[in-house]
Amino acid sequence: MPLAALTACAAAVLSLATARAQAAPVEVLHYWTSGGEAKSAQLLKKMLEEKGDTWVDFAVAGGGGGNAMTALKTRVVAGNPPAAAQIKGPAIQEWGDEGVLLPIDDVAKAGNWDHLLPPEIARIMKYKGQYVGAPVNVHRVNWLWINADALKRVNAQPPATWDDFFKVADALKKAGVTPVAIGGQPWQEAETFESVALGVGGPDFYKKAFVQLDQATLKSPTMVKALETFKRIKDYTDDGQVGRDWNMATAMVINGKAAMQFMGDWAKGEFTVAGKVPGKDYLCVAAPGSQKDFTFNVDSFVFFKVKTAGVEKGQKDMAGLLMSPAFQEAFNLNKGSIPVRQDVSLAKFDDCAKKSSADFKSAGANGGLVPSWAHDMLVSPAVEGAFYDVLGNYWSSKDETAQQAADKLAVAAKTN
Ligand code: GAL
């Protein structure tokens, strides 16, 4: 190569390197720290860096994101928000009200998001008509994960009703296997209850109780029945649950220490990392009684107005990336969820994901598609926290009755 060409080439390489080195850092707050989650976050980092942006990791451990939200508030109050944060549901509106979010409507228009997203999800991503959030996935919450060998050991089928469930759980107990793995953290108890309530009461009850926060429904006999069913599950859990992280509970099902777990499909990310195959090593079925229904939980990122110059380019690169077909496919294969973009092929996805997608569509058509309140998608953070407290206390109390807990839920629904 002639010298002039070599020099030009070297200069080009140098200027690219300088541009990369100078790209304003995009600090990203997230709480994806378990095996499957971390793999998904790593992929996002890698794909963002391929765009010439710099990722600064702000990971706050703690399933369900409670710790991350506390960390975020501290930073925003101090006037130093991260460039991007994993936030979802009604909290997006609350941050919008604070005037701290960067609109990404230009990215959404260029990417045609209005046509690619289900309207009920697009609505959550907008503040006063403008996109401020970029969604990455659809997680289904009302799943029951089952260790296939444990089920075979007691010669049982996956339980379709609550009666079946307790029969199978009794058989497992007799066989010396812990029937249900759970971590004693408020959000895990709340999530389990949410699936029980949907399975026991059905979607109309769920909507009246948790969408409309109807006082009579919150205290109703159906709610009492749901609470009794929830508490009955405790007899089938182990003593070591206090403070246990959700992925440790999933690990118990993966290695056969426990047989079943109620958990959203981020649990599948853990099975995947462990090399387990759905249908062979483990089964994914809807929580008893909720086969036709779907509690959805959509992860999304919002972007904060930051003072540092040049960050907006990285923020908008990231917003566009999150909704790109390549990212949606690769990310969701790791995360256990399905793409939120409706035009992404599921050819590479497993049977659990295909079932999730089919059920998402049919539940949407038959009124069974409901937002997960236990995962920040429905009630305000204040009501959610109050519900967590009621359910956590009831779960651990020896003498509180289901009716007392139902009455407390009705009070909690009025929290401001
Ligand atoms: C959910 C979140 C999921 C998963 C899970 C456990 O709230 O939407 O992405 O991370 O918590 O941390």
Side-chain angles (χ1 to χ4, degrees):
M1 198 185 275
L3 190 62
L6 261 179
T7 320
C9 189
V13 169
L14 193 71
S15 79
L16 187 70
T18 329
R20 291 224 165 147
Q22 280 173 355
V26 183
E27 189 186 15
V28 184
L29 170 69
H30 65 93
Y31 49 91
W32 288 332
T33 55
S34 78
E37 290 176 334
K39 227 178 145 196
S40 315
Q42 277 303 317
L43 179 89
L44 171 55
K45 171 177 190 263
K46 185 172 154 267
M47 289 179 86
L48 188 67
E49 287 177 346
E50 280 165 9
K51 288 191 170 292
D53 296 300
T54 311
W55 168 284
V56 177
D57 200 41
F58 183 6
V60 180
N67 299 345
M69 292 310 107
T70 308
L72 176 65
K73 275 182 202 140
T74 313
R75 287 281 303 269
V76 180
V77 168
N80 179 27
Q86 188 195 338
I87 293 183
K88 51 188 163 144
I92 296 178
Q93 302 305 312
E94 294 195 354
W95 284 111
D97 287 341
E98 298 297 321
V100 289
L101 297 185
L102 178 80
I104 49 168
D105 222 37
D106 48 347
V107 181
K109 284 225 168 71
N112 217 6
W113 292 10
D114 270 344
H115 294 276
L116 296 167
L117 291 174
E120 55 273 70
I121 292 173
R123 192 178 44 77
I124 300 170
M125 300 301 138
K126 292 179 183 178
Y127 179 72
K128 300 213 164 131
Q130 284 208 317
Y131 277 95
V132 291
V136 295
N137 61 7
V138 179
H139 271 304
R140 184 185 199 177
V141 179
N142 60 318
W143 284 115
L144 180 65
W145 304 92
I146 308 177
N147 178 302
D149 282 344
L151 202 65
K152 257 187 231 142
R153 243 173 97 176
V154 296
N155 209 4
Q157 292 298 313
T161 65
W162 287 103
D163 284 347
D164 287 351
F165 174 83
F166 289 112
K167 268 185 212 144
V168 174
D170 276 329
L172 288 161
K173 211 175 185 179
K174 259 197 208 130
V177 183
T178 301
V180 178
I182 188 170
Q185 294 176 344
W187 72 268
Q188 293 185 58
E189 291 152 3
E191 169 174 343
T192 302
F193 172 70
E194 177 183 278
S195 290
V196 173
L198 182 65
V200 167
D204 290 341
F205 162 78
Y206 184 99
K207 287 179 202 165
K208 266 198 177 157
F210 303 117
V211 181
Q212 295 163 27
L213 296 177
D214 175 63
Q215 286 288 306
T217 309
L218 286 162
K219 297 188 240 183
S220 66
T222 309
M223 186 62 83
V224 170
K225 194 169 169 212
L227 284 159
E228 283 166 355
T229 310
F230 165 62
K231 191 66 183 277
R232 209 175 144 197
I233 297 173
K234 189 154 189 210
D235 292 340
Y236 300 93
T237 59
D238 71 334
D239 287 338
Q241 64 193 266
V242 177
R244 176 189 287 142
D245 288 324
W246 68 270
N247 51 315
M248 294 298 133
T250 308
M252 290 168 69
V253 180
I254 292 175
N255 62 33
K257 276 212 177 100
M260 305 184 274
Q261 182 187 22
F262 294 97
M263 188 53 57
D265 42 22
W266 44 93
K268 201 183 75 186
E270 303 303 297
F271 283 98
T272 308
V273 165
K276 302 293 180 190
V277 179
K280 178 175 159 274
D281 303 313
Y282 70 97
L283 312 172
C284 52
V285 298
S290 72
Q291 287 80 357
K292 290 195 175 139
D293 310 320
F294 192 116
T295 27
F296 69 89
N297 171 22
V298 172
D299 287 313
S300 49
F301 283 87
V302 297
F303 303 89
F304 285 88
K305 293 176 189 158
V306 292
K307 290 181 196 126
T308 323
V311 177
E312 193 171 322
K313 175 204 172 273
Q315 291 173 309
K316 299 227 164 136
D317 280 354
M318 181 169 159
L321 170 66
L322 294 171
M323 272 289 286
S324 68
F327 174 80
Q328 291 261 327
E329 180 186 72
F331 176 85
N332 286 301
L333 281 168
N334 288 324
K335 189 70 173 68
S337 35
I338 52 172
V340 66
R341 239 184 108 120
Q342 297 300 292
D343 61 343
V344 175
S345 157
L346 292 183
K348 291 192 190 149
F349 285 75
D350 62 26
D351 289 347
C352 299
K354 287 184 179 133
K355 182 169 167 48
S356 180
S357 172
D359 290 354
F360 179 74
K361 291 194 184 98
S362 63
N366 69 25
L369 183 64
V370 290
S372 163
W373 66 260
H375 282 283
D376 317 337
M377 295 304 296
L378 183 52
V379 297
S380 70
V383 170
E384 183 179 312
F387 280 172
Y388 279 12
D389 288 347
V390 173
L391 294 163
N393 290 335
Y394 173 62
W395 180 257
S396 56
S397 158
K398 287 211 165 41
D399 41 53
E400 189 172 316
T401 66
Q403 185 65 62
Q404 282 168 333
D407 293 346
K408 286 187 187 172
L409 279 179
V411 175
K414 295 186 199 159
T415 312
N416 281 314

